[in-house]
Amino acid sequence: MVLDKIQKENDIKKLTPQELRQLPEEIRQFLVEKLSVTGGHLASNLGVVELTMALHLVFDLPKDKIIWDVGHQSYTHKILTGRKENFDNLRKFGGMSGFPKRSESSCDSFDTGHSSTSISAGLGYAWAREMSGEDYHVISVIGDGSMTGGMAYEALNNAAALKKNFIIVLNDNNMSISENVGGMSRHLSKLRTSSNYTGFKEGVQNTLEKIPVCGEHLVAGIRKTKSSIKQMVIPGMMFEEMGIMYLGPVDGHDIRAMVRIFREASQVPGPVLVHVLTHKGNGYEPAERHPSRFHGTAPFDVETGIPKDKSNPSYTDIFSTVMRKMGEREPKVVAITAAMADGTGLKRFRNMFPERFFDVGIAEEHAVTFAAGLAAGGMRPVFAVYSSFLQRAYDQVLHDVCMQNLPVVFAIDRAGLVGSDGETHQGVFDISYLTGMPNMTVMAPKNKWELSDMLKFAISHDGPIALRYPRGEAYVGLEEYRAPIVLGKCEEVYAGTKVLLFALGSMVDTAVQVRDLLHSHGIDAGLVNARFAKPFDEEYLKQVMDGYDVIVPMEENVAAGGMGEHVSCFLRKEGYQGTILPVAIPDRFVEQGNVDTLKEMLGIDASSITDNIIKVIK
């Protein structure tokens, strides 16, 4: 196999032309086989195999810096830098990250995981290179989906001031996670289809190069000028008007063409954007047909592409069903997503109420202020977003929603530990930053029925409200406990005499296990479903606190600023003399791994919590 000849960075340069033609097929076969077992980002990686090979053929790693936007398309890059043998442990605890990671390889220039960052980071690298007097190339790779994020334009605007080489590769596959939307998508579509321009350019270039003696000099001279032809034929020519040279579009599955254009780009004395057209999922038919489904996939059958494990309904599934029902009942309910209609469960709402569904692209900041405007106009907006991505809109939540006390519902999916995607995607900070905002209400359901009840409550609530729920299968225990949702009121599940487990959301399931373990040790424990992180039920705690020796606030969020801190502060202020033992995630970034493994490592699994409680009592 040709793939076996790739043991370290730059080994690709030693391959023969025949081997280079064979390598893409071997890489795709390798990725499909490995990810069918481990899961991971498949469609995005299959689309950039030749693009990555061309970058590695032209540039010298790790001297030159390749920065991948988001990074979910970096698997071929990892293979070509000698990490092929690590794919069996991809996204597992202690294994290889699914994203670029500087601590993993000197060839990974920047840790990524969120969208629209690569141009900013690359520009920073380029300026650092110039100020340090060093000599290397900087290449930022960004997808057309990521170009819907405003941060990319802030960086492009700033890049025009750089008079030294800086290469931006626009990987244009007409997809983000969901199908691309908006003006930038339409603009790039025009660029893609402007064959009259590209054909004319190539024809003129080929004709001029055939002129004896001076042909190549004429071509070089033309390249250094701003082409009025380009301005006329390609609509807008936005990039060149911003002061960034535009090259392309070029076929992203033609290695020779990309090698040629990357070499040309490396000689440009300033920022240059290379427009590359790729096909997401290329080479594996199920991923080509369903690129969204294979964006981030669970283990699947290679022959059919069908997932191997069919789990019970997830919290996202429950949210999807209830949103559809609320859309039927409440004509003012509108749904917003930031390029995640499928991932957040809004696809059914979109299909039934297209006029009340808005996909704003990868632009969380805009999504929040847009929701604020809808709310101010009398609508009931529900912004469905992953916890990790809501972080990007902190200022908008605080300034545009909370300050005006507008009724915006934040449906926060993937709250808590998400597992395999690692540090960049763990949703363990939202309680901390949301509970510090005036007017904000934060709640979390204990099971699938409570998620349904809480979403209905949230839509009727007159003010900003966040409903957080975890990734994965919905908890179905404690179904007999379904007290009405009342603002700021908890739900007592079991009374006790020694230990009070005051658990929020996903930790109620864990608290049930802890209570059983404590009872096996002869320790009587009460269990309360906190329901609200803000406002939590101060009245209830004040009434019962003196009846317990140990109170254990439990949450799947970092300790700093979390519910446990607020509860502890309140109890001490009220004169509680017992022991407070908050259960939360230590203040650190949590790597990838199975969620159960991570909980055990962090000491927030049932066994660890029980052991800590027993130690305190003894």
Side-chain angles (χ1 to χ4, degrees):
M1 286 183 63
V2 176
L3 200 52
D4 292 335
K5 296 185 177 183
I6 306 294
Q7 298 297 320
K8 62 182 185 305
E9 62 271 15
N10 302 314
D11 277 355
I12 190 174
K13 295 181 173 69
K14 303 172 186 177
L15 301 182
T16 66
Q18 173 59 35
E19 289 171 329
L20 286 173
R21 286 192 290 272
Q22 185 178 338
L23 186 57
E25 182 179 348
E26 290 189 12
I27 290 176
R28 287 192 169 92
Q29 183 178 355
F30 175 86
L31 289 175
V32 170
E33 288 178 356
K34 293 298 182 182
L35 269 64
S36 71
V37 177
T38 64
H41 292 95
L42 182 59
S44 53
N45 282 287
L46 293 177
V48 298
V49 173
E50 290 89 355
L51 167 58
T52 309
M53 287 174 58
L55 288 171
H56 280 251
L57 285 167
V58 173
F59 299 103
D60 181 22
L61 274 67
K63 177 185 176 184
D64 294 327
K65 314 300 179 187
I66 301 175
I67 300 166
W68 301 93
D69 199 85
V70 184
H72 57 215
Q73 75 284 57
S74 62
Y75 291 2
T76 300
H77 167 77
K78 289 178 182 258
I79 292 171
L80 297 181
T81 52
R83 286 173 270 178
K84 177 170 69 76
E85 303 305 322
N86 297 335
F87 271 80
D88 288 333
N89 291 314
L90 177 69
R91 304 167 79 238
K92 294 181 180 179
F93 182 69
M96 185 170 68
S97 172
F99 297 92
K101 209 167 185 180
R102 295 170 69 206
S103 61
E104 188 177 285
S105 171
S106 59
C107 296
D108 290 357
S109 302
F110 201 79
D111 290 11
T112 51
H114 285 191
S115 167
S116 314
T117 62
S118 64
I119 302 177
S120 297
L123 183 60
Y125 253 118
W127 275 114
R129 175 195 64 198
E130 297 308 311
M131 291 186 287
S132 303
E134 297 183 63
D135 180 23
Y136 56 83
H137 291 287
V138 180
I139 308 97
S140 292
V141 185
I142 187 167
D144 54 327
S146 293
M147 293 295 286
T148 60
M151 188 173 171
Y153 298 96
E154 296 173 22
L156 285 171
N157 181 61
N158 195 209
L162 181 69
K163 304 306 179 186
K164 300 293 184 178
N165 185 254
F166 170 39
I167 301 169
I168 302 164
V169 178
L170 174 55
N171 172 32
D172 183 359
N173 57 28
N174 199 29
M175 289 287 294
S176 49
I177 296 175
S178 300
E179 185 176 349
N180 283 338
V181 296
M184 174 48 61
S185 179
R186 289 192 294 272
H187 177 76
L188 292 175
S189 293
K190 291 177 182 178
L191 292 178
R192 284 185 217 107
T193 56
S194 60
S195 56
N196 54 337
Y197 163 70
T198 54
F200 177 79
K201 186 181 85 168
E202 290 175 4
V204 170
Q205 180 174 324
N206 292 336
T207 301
L208 290 173
E209 285 179 340
K210 291 177 182 177
I211 299 175
V213 183
C214 64
E216 291 186 3
H217 294 290
L218 284 171
V219 172
I222 289 173
R223 282 178 182 161
K224 291 179 181 178
T225 66
K226 290 249 183 172
S227 172
S228 59
I229 296 173
K230 188 182 288 186
Q231 295 285 348
M232 287 188 295
V233 181
I234 292 186
M237 272 316 300
M238 180 188 71
F239 302 112
E240 297 235 353
E241 289 171 358
M242 294 180 75
I244 298 168
M245 178 179 282
Y246 173 88
L247 298 177
V250 61
D251 183 354
H253 303 293
D254 184 337
I255 296 175
R256 292 180 63 185
M258 284 186 290
V259 165
R260 185 167 58 247
I261 203 167
F262 288 151
R263 285 176 176 157
E264 181 179 343
S266 69
Q267 302 303 312
V268 173
V272 54
L273 184 140
V274 181
H275 188 186
V276 179
L277 305 181
T278 62
H279 185 196
K280 199 168 188 178
N282 189 56
Y284 181 54
E285 188 176 350
E288 290 182 17
R289 290 199 313 266
H290 307 287
S292 294
R293 198 174 85 200
F294 282 90
H295 171 76
T297 180
F300 59 92
D301 179 79
V302 173
E303 294 298 321
T304 64
I306 297 173
K308 292 179 179 177
D309 298 322
K310 291 187 177 181
S311 60
N312 293 322
S314 67
Y315 280 102
T316 306
D317 295 331
I318 305 302
F319 169 78
S320 176
T321 299
V322 179
M323 272 298 293
R324 178 185 60 78
K325 292 178 179 178
M326 293 305 294
E328 292 173 344
R329 298 176 193 173
E330 302 288 345
K332 289 190 175 183
V333 169
V334 297
I336 303 167
T337 181
M340 297 290 290
D342 289 353
T344 59
L346 287 177
K347 187 175 180 179
R348 295 167 72 186
F349 188 96
R350 178 191 66 191
N351 293 340
M352 291 193 67
F353 313 104
E355 74 285 353
R356 288 191 273 149
F357 170 81
F358 301 94
D359 186 344
V360 301
I362 306 177
E364 291 83 4
E365 302 95 320
H366 162 60
V368 172
T369 303
F370 173 59
L374 283 165
M379 306 306 291
R380 287 283 172 165
V382 177
F383 177 31
V385 59
Y386 288 5
S387 173
S388 175
F389 301 151
L390 183 60
Q391 296 162 187
R392 313 194 90 188
Y394 176 93
D395 177 68
Q396 287 74 19
V397 176
L398 176 68
H399 187 275
D400 298 330
V401 176
C402 290
M403 193 176 295
Q404 301 182 82
N405 199 28
L406 292 169
V408 175
V409 177
F410 297 94
I412 306 177
D413 202 335
R414 272 64 166 179
L417 296 168
V418 299
S420 300
D421 284 334
E423 293 98 327
T424 57
H425 283 61
Q426 310 286 13
V428 297
F429 303 101
D430 54 86
I431 293 176
S432 298
Y433 65 79
L434 290 174
T435 54
M437 297 183 181
N439 295 327
M440 175 61 79
T441 295
V442 182
M443 57 184 180
K446 69 176 183 295
N447 58 23
K448 71 174 190 177
W449 295 283
E450 196 160 83
L451 172 59
S452 174
D453 295 342
M454 283 187 170
L455 181 55
K456 295 169 186 174
F457 174 85
I459 289 172
S460 66
H461 180 68
D462 191 20
I465 189 165
L467 170 58
R468 71 185 309 263
Y469 44 94
R471 180 181 188 174
E473 194 172 312
Y475 180 53
V476 294
L478 302 178
E479 64 270 24
E480 66 273 26
Y481 295 91
R482 198 171 178 177
I485 307 296
V486 178
L487 180 65
K489 295 301 178 183
C490 64
E491 177 188 53
E492 185 177 81
V493 179
Y494 302 116
T497 58
K498 191 76 173 178
V499 176
L500 175 63
L501 305 172
F502 192 74
L504 180 70
S506 61
M507 293 303 286
V508 172
D509 179 12
T510 304
V512 171
Q513 300 171 50
V514 172
R515 179 175 179 271
D516 291 342
L517 289 171
L518 288 173
H519 279 207
S520 70
H521 287 83
I523 300 171
D524 186 32
L527 194 162
V528 170
N529 169 24
R531 284 186 163 176
F532 291 86
K534 182 188 178 184
F536 61 86
D537 199 337
E538 296 181 353
E539 182 180 345
Y540 174 84
L541 287 172
K542 189 173 181 179
Q543 287 176 355
V544 304
M545 64 182 188
D546 292 332
Y548 293 97
D549 296 334
V550 182
I551 296 179
V552 187
M554 301 171 63
E555 62 189 316
E556 203 170 322
N557 187 81
V558 292
M563 182 191 74
E565 269 198 4
H566 298 305
V567 168
S568 299
C569 182
F570 169 77
L571 290 172
R572 291 304 182 211
K573 185 177 68 174
E574 293 299 321
Y576 177 64
Q577 298 299 309
T579 300
I580 305 170
L581 187 64
V583 172
I585 294 168
D587 298 329
R588 53 175 286 191
F589 292 105
V590 182
E591 64 180 286
Q592 76 274 0
N594 174 274
V595 170
D596 290 339
T597 301
L598 294 177
K599 286 184 175 181
E600 184 178 351
M601 182 264 291
L602 295 166
I604 62 169
D605 62 303
S607 179
S608 300
I609 296 168
T610 303
D611 290 345
N612 288 334
I613 292 172
I614 291 173
K615 287 177 184 176
V616 167
I617 291 174
K618 289 184 176 180

